[in-house]
Amino acid sequence: MRKRGIILLSLMVIVAISLVAVGCASSGSQQAVSYRAEIAPGTLSVDEYAKYYPKQYDTFMRTSEMSNEGSKYGGSEEYDKLVQWPFLKEIFAGYGFAIEYNEDRGHNYTLEDVSKIKRINEKSIASCWTCKSANISGVVEEMGDAYYGANFHDLKSKITEGITCANCHDPQTMKLVITQPPLRDTLTRLGKDPDKLTTQELRTMTCAQCHVEYYFAGDKKVVTFPWDKGTTPDDILAYYEEKGFSDWKHAKAGTPEIKVQHPEFETFSGSTHAEAGLSCADCHMPYSMNGGEKISSHWWTSPLKTMNESCMTCHREGEEWLKERVFYTQDKVADTMATVGNVNVEAIEAIAAADAEGANKALLEEARGLQRKAQFYVDWVGAENSMGFHNPQLTFDSLSKSLDYAYQAINKATEARTGVAAPQFEVKAPKTNSETVKLLSEKS
């Protein structure tokens, strides 16, 4: 009798499971992606994708939210970084970023924000649209490289969509793809086929379509990623030095300066998380269950707002402990950047004062070369949107180099003005334990 009851119960469970399975299968939202791919090639509007992927769309629309909650150095509320970091106005003197430099809002605001920022003027070029719209690949296909140097305002009628699903997905298969011409061109130039990346590579490289350092190359002002020597700050500075590239001449120092953009990808590369095999999406687009369906969040925001899904899948220390560790790192970076930024301003003032007094021209040019490097490294940290957390070691190394170059620039400017060189103590340090033991044994 007991055996018959067990069999009957088992049959009931099987039937119940079958009913649930049938119920799921009958729901359009539960079907495999390949069966839902009814979107026409070339579709750009996010509203069209929303018809088939409403849950992902709902998370995407959260990028309209304006909140700094959970994050000390970021968020999506609009404010001017020139107020947050006063030294920036001084180091960008003579360039558009000294006029207005706002914190990025969510991806839904890309077209609005680039159109209203005071840096955009009647002479601005179309390259400034490149990371703001899903239309760009089509416009470049139509216009070729002539797109980049065209007038920003003349192309406004062609830019109808902001960032949409089409920036990263094939509309029919929904597979991740590289659509932005600058990244496709860069990868091809470096011998890597943009259409043969692994899925995990694409979960970072689709973000690297925009969250990177770039410059406007040549007379056509083509958006170009300076990765030919590598992607570290040292590699990219060496690339610019070899090219003799500069964005503008500093209004006070007279230095040909480089404006770093937003090198999240380059900073993340080589970090602890990157070396562990994680992608941008693992932390910024965590998986969650939504109505019985596992989806990847398209609310691109700080992982501090989604710690359970973003962090706790790997970490076991507890949310509060992890958050405090993040803030500890960011606070140290912020304090150091403020100090280093101020010394950079002192270097600019020292060069300007020396120039006003008719200082030695050759030594003054050396001072400018040192100040250019100092500014590049501190701007790298300031322009990168994690306050150092993406790669603390690289961040502090960059700030250290900035501080060193800034003091060297001050000393060289002083020498140019007074003719007296600053005392120097150039002895290699630090030495490893094995090197020290070897030196001691050689002396004995």
Side-chain angles (χ1 to χ4, degrees):
M1 187 71 180
R2 182 184 176 195
K3 183 176 180 181
R4 184 180 300 172
I6 293 173
I7 293 173
L8 181 60
L9 180 61
S10 299
L11 288 172
M12 291 174 64
V13 171
I14 292 171
V15 171
I17 292 173
S18 299
L19 289 173
V20 171
V22 169
C24 290
S26 65
S27 170
S29 65
Q30 300 300 320
Q31 292 175 351
V33 168
S34 60
Y35 292 103
R36 287 187 282 154
E38 301 173 14
I39 303 173
T43 299
L44 302 181
S45 172
V46 71
D47 294 329
E48 289 300 311
Y49 290 83
K51 296 175 183 177
Y52 299 94
Y53 309 102
K55 294 173 182 176
Q56 288 86 348
Y57 171 80
D58 287 344
T59 64
F60 170 78
M61 291 307 293
R62 293 198 68 183
T63 63
S64 296
E65 294 180 8
M66 301 264 281
S67 171
N68 290 344
E69 183 179 352
S71 177
K72 292 177 70 173
Y73 302 99
S76 54
E77 289 187 51
E78 192 171 28
Y79 63 86
D80 194 340
K81 290 186 178 182
L82 301 178
V83 175
Q84 183 184 27
W85 306 100
F87 74 86
L88 293 179
K89 191 173 185 65
E90 302 301 322
I91 72 171
F92 297 146
Y95 199 50
F97 280 82
I99 299 172
E100 190 174 37
Y101 187 11
N102 291 340
E103 171 66 14
D104 297 322
R105 294 196 291 170
H107 286 65
N108 273 347
Y109 296 105
T110 55
L111 296 187
E112 178 184 340
D113 286 355
V114 73
S115 298
K116 74 178 186 180
I117 192 75
K118 293 176 183 176
R119 295 195 303 271
I120 296 294
N121 57 44
E122 68 279 359
K123 295 181 180 180
S124 294
I125 58 176
S127 286
C128 298
W129 288 115
T130 303
C131 283
K132 312 299 183 183
S133 171
N135 294 106
I136 301 306
S137 59
V139 175
V140 173
E141 185 176 355
E142 174 192 339
M143 298 180 62
D145 285 350
Y147 150 75
Y148 295 101
N151 184 273
F152 177 90
H153 304 282
D154 289 346
L155 293 190
K156 194 168 186 177
S157 62
K158 294 180 180 290
I159 310 300
T160 59
E161 303 290 339
I163 301 298
T164 75
C165 312
N167 282 84
C168 305
H169 292 281
D170 180 294
Q172 294 189 293
T173 66
M174 292 310 291
K175 290 183 178 180
L176 292 171
V177 291
I178 304 299
T179 61
Q180 290 289 78
L183 180 56
R184 294 188 66 86
D185 293 346
T186 298
L187 292 174
T188 302
R189 186 175 76 244
L190 299 180
K192 196 171 183 69
D193 190 335
D195 296 317
K196 292 184 179 179
L197 301 174
T198 67
T199 299
Q200 188 65 355
E201 285 177 318
L202 284 166
R203 282 164 59 82
T204 286
M205 295 308 292
T206 48
C207 303
Q209 294 183 106
C210 294
H211 291 265
V212 291
E213 161 62 0
Y214 64 87
Y215 74 108
F216 300 152
D219 294 336
K220 293 184 177 180
K221 304 300 182 184
V222 177
V223 174
T224 304
F225 299 171
W227 295 352
D228 297 61
K229 293 179 179 294
T231 58
T232 69
D234 295 349
D235 295 331
I236 290 173
L237 178 59
Y239 173 94
Y240 285 139
E241 293 286 84
E242 185 176 288
K243 293 280 186 183
F245 173 80
S246 64
D247 286 293
W248 89 104
K249 180 173 285 190
H250 196 278
K252 286 185 178 180
T255 305
E257 308 282 14
I258 302 163
K259 175 68 192 81
V260 180
Q261 302 306 322
H262 24 65
E264 285 84 52
F265 167 74
E266 295 92 339
T267 301
F268 175 69
S269 300
S271 68
T272 297
H273 287 94
E275 290 299 309
L278 294 176
S279 69
C280 301
D282 286 312
C283 302
H284 290 279
M285 301 179 65
Y287 289 109
S288 63
M289 296 302 295
N290 188 317
E293 182 181 12
K294 182 181 179 182
I295 70 167
S296 177
S297 173
H298 286 63
W299 178 34
W300 302 302
T301 189
S302 169
L304 293 173
K305 298 180 181 179
T306 57
M307 290 190 70
N308 186 59
E309 296 82 6
S310 296
C311 308
M312 307 314 293
T313 54
C314 296
H315 291 278
R316 295 293 180 266
E317 296 89 347
E319 287 189 21
E320 286 306 311
W321 186 92
L322 283 173
K323 185 177 289 188
E324 287 306 311
R325 293 308 301 171
V326 173
F327 289 159
Y328 176 84
T329 298
Q330 292 183 320
D331 286 344
K332 295 298 182 185
V333 169
D335 289 344
T336 305
M337 186 173 77
T339 299
V340 173
N342 288 344
V343 177
N344 268 259
V345 176
E346 291 172 6
I348 289 168
E349 296 293 345
I351 292 170
D355 190 34
E357 293 184 21
N360 182 295
K361 299 297 183 184
L363 293 177
L364 205 53
E365 283 306 302
E366 288 186 45
R368 289 189 176 109
L370 294 164
Q371 185 269 321
R372 166 184 162 93
K373 293 178 180 179
Q375 180 152 318
F376 171 85
Y377 281 110
V378 74
D379 189 23
W380 182 283
V381 177
E384 199 277 328
N385 287 298
S386 76
M387 194 48 64
F389 183 75
H390 282 150
N391 195 333
Q393 293 87 348
L394 182 70
T395 297
F396 282 115
D397 179 64
S398 297
L399 290 174
S400 174
K401 287 174 179 173
S402 178
L403 188 65
D404 181 40
Y405 280 125
Y407 276 125
Q408 286 188 55
I410 292 170
N411 289 340
K412 191 60 67 174
T414 303
E415 181 183 353
R417 181 170 56 85
T418 65
V420 180
Q424 294 184 344
F425 182 71
E426 296 181 355
V427 178
K428 181 186 174 183
K431 296 177 174 63
T432 65
N433 294 348
S434 57
E435 286 177 315
T436 304
V437 170
K438 183 179 179 181
L439 284 172
L440 288 171
S441 64
E442 289 174 353
K443 288 182 179 179
S444 61

Short mmCIF file of all heavy atoms in Angstrom, two decimals, residues 360 363 410-423:
data_model
loop_
_atom_site.label_atom_id
_atom_site.label_comp_id
_atom_site.label_asym_id
_atom_site.label_seq_id
_atom_site.Cartn_x
_atom_site.Cartn_y
_atom_site.Cartn_z
N ASN A 360 65.48 80.74 -19.71
CA ASN A 360 66.21 79.96 -20.71
C ASN A 360 65.21 79.12 -21.52
O ASN A 360 64.50 78.27 -20.98
CB ASN A 360 67.22 79.06 -20.00
CG ASN A 360 68.05 78.24 -20.95
OD1 ASN A 360 67.54 77.38 -21.67
ND2 ASN A 360 69.35 78.47 -20.94
N LEU A 363 65.68 75.12 -21.52
CA LEU A 363 65.29 74.50 -20.25
C LEU A 363 63.78 74.60 -20.03
O LEU A 363 63.17 73.69 -19.44
CB LEU A 363 66.03 75.16 -19.09
CG LEU A 363 67.54 74.93 -19.04
CD1 LEU A 363 68.17 75.72 -17.89
CD2 LEU A 363 67.85 73.45 -18.90
N ILE A 410 58.66 71.56 -12.08
CA ILE A 410 58.86 72.74 -11.23
C ILE A 410 60.35 73.04 -11.09
O ILE A 410 60.79 74.19 -11.23
CB ILE A 410 58.22 72.51 -9.84
CG1 ILE A 410 56.70 72.47 -9.97
CG2 ILE A 410 58.64 73.60 -8.86
CD1 ILE A 410 55.98 72.01 -8.71
N ASN A 411 61.13 72.00 -10.83
CA ASN A 411 62.58 72.19 -10.67
C ASN A 411 63.22 72.70 -11.96
O ASN A 411 64.09 73.58 -11.94
CB ASN A 411 63.23 70.87 -10.25
CG ASN A 411 62.90 70.48 -8.83
OD1 ASN A 411 62.49 71.32 -8.02
ND2 ASN A 411 63.05 69.21 -8.50
N LYS A 412 62.78 72.15 -13.08
CA LYS A 412 63.36 72.56 -14.37
C LYS A 412 62.96 74.00 -14.71
O LYS A 412 63.78 74.78 -15.25
CB LYS A 412 62.93 71.61 -15.47
CG LYS A 412 63.67 71.77 -16.78
CD LYS A 412 65.18 71.55 -16.63
CE LYS A 412 65.53 70.11 -16.28
NZ LYS A 412 67.02 69.91 -16.29
N ALA A 413 61.73 74.38 -14.39
CA ALA A 413 61.30 75.75 -14.64
C ALA A 413 62.07 76.73 -13.76
O ALA A 413 62.44 77.83 -14.19
CB ALA A 413 59.80 75.89 -14.38
N THR A 414 62.33 76.31 -12.52
CA THR A 414 63.13 77.14 -11.61
C THR A 414 64.55 77.29 -12.12
O THR A 414 65.13 78.39 -12.09
CB THR A 414 63.13 76.52 -10.20
OG1 THR A 414 61.79 76.38 -9.74
CG2 THR A 414 63.92 77.38 -9.23
N GLU A 415 65.10 76.20 -12.63
CA GLU A 415 66.44 76.27 -13.21
C GLU A 415 66.47 77.17 -14.43
O GLU A 415 67.42 77.95 -14.63
CB GLU A 415 66.90 74.86 -13.59
CG GLU A 415 68.31 74.82 -14.18
CD GLU A 415 68.72 73.43 -14.63
OE1 GLU A 415 67.97 72.46 -14.38
OE2 GLU A 415 69.80 73.32 -15.25
N ALA A 416 65.42 77.09 -15.25
CA ALA A 416 65.35 77.94 -16.44
C ALA A 416 65.31 79.42 -16.06
O ALA A 416 65.86 80.27 -16.77
CB ALA A 416 64.11 77.58 -17.25
N ARG A 417 64.69 79.71 -14.94
CA ARG A 417 64.56 81.11 -14.51
C ARG A 417 65.78 81.62 -13.76
O ARG A 417 66.20 82.75 -13.93
CB ARG A 417 63.30 81.23 -13.62
CG ARG A 417 63.03 82.64 -13.11
CD ARG A 417 61.65 82.70 -12.46
NE ARG A 417 61.50 81.73 -11.41
CZ ARG A 417 61.89 81.91 -10.15
NH1 ARG A 417 62.49 83.05 -9.80
NH2 ARG A 417 61.70 80.98 -9.24
N THR A 418 66.38 80.76 -12.91
CA THR A 418 67.47 81.21 -12.03
C THR A 418 68.85 80.77 -12.50
O THR A 418 69.87 81.31 -12.05
CB THR A 418 67.26 80.66 -10.62
OG1 THR A 418 67.36 79.22 -10.63
CG2 THR A 418 65.90 81.07 -10.08
N GLY A 419 68.88 79.74 -13.33
CA GLY A 419 70.17 79.20 -13.76
C GLY A 419 70.76 78.23 -12.75
O GLY A 419 71.87 77.71 -12.96
N VAL A 420 70.05 77.96 -11.67
CA VAL A 420 70.54 77.05 -10.63
C VAL A 420 69.72 75.76 -10.66
O VAL A 420 68.50 75.78 -10.49
CB VAL A 420 70.41 77.69 -9.22
CG1 VAL A 420 70.92 76.72 -8.16
CG2 VAL A 420 71.17 79.00 -9.18
N ALA A 421 70.40 74.66 -10.91
CA ALA A 421 69.72 73.37 -10.96
C ALA A 421 69.42 72.87 -9.55
O ALA A 421 70.21 73.07 -8.63
CB ALA A 421 70.58 72.35 -11.71
N ALA A 422 68.29 72.21 -9.40
CA ALA A 422 67.92 71.64 -8.10
C ALA A 422 68.81 70.44 -7.79
O ALA A 422 69.21 69.71 -8.71
CB ALA A 422 66.46 71.23 -8.11
N PRO A 423 69.13 70.21 -6.54
CA PRO A 423 69.91 69.01 -6.17
C PRO A 423 69.18 67.75 -6.57
O PRO A 423 67.94 67.68 -6.49
CB PRO A 423 70.02 69.12 -4.64
CG PRO A 423 69.75 70.55 -4.34
CD PRO A 423 68.80 71.04 -5.37
#
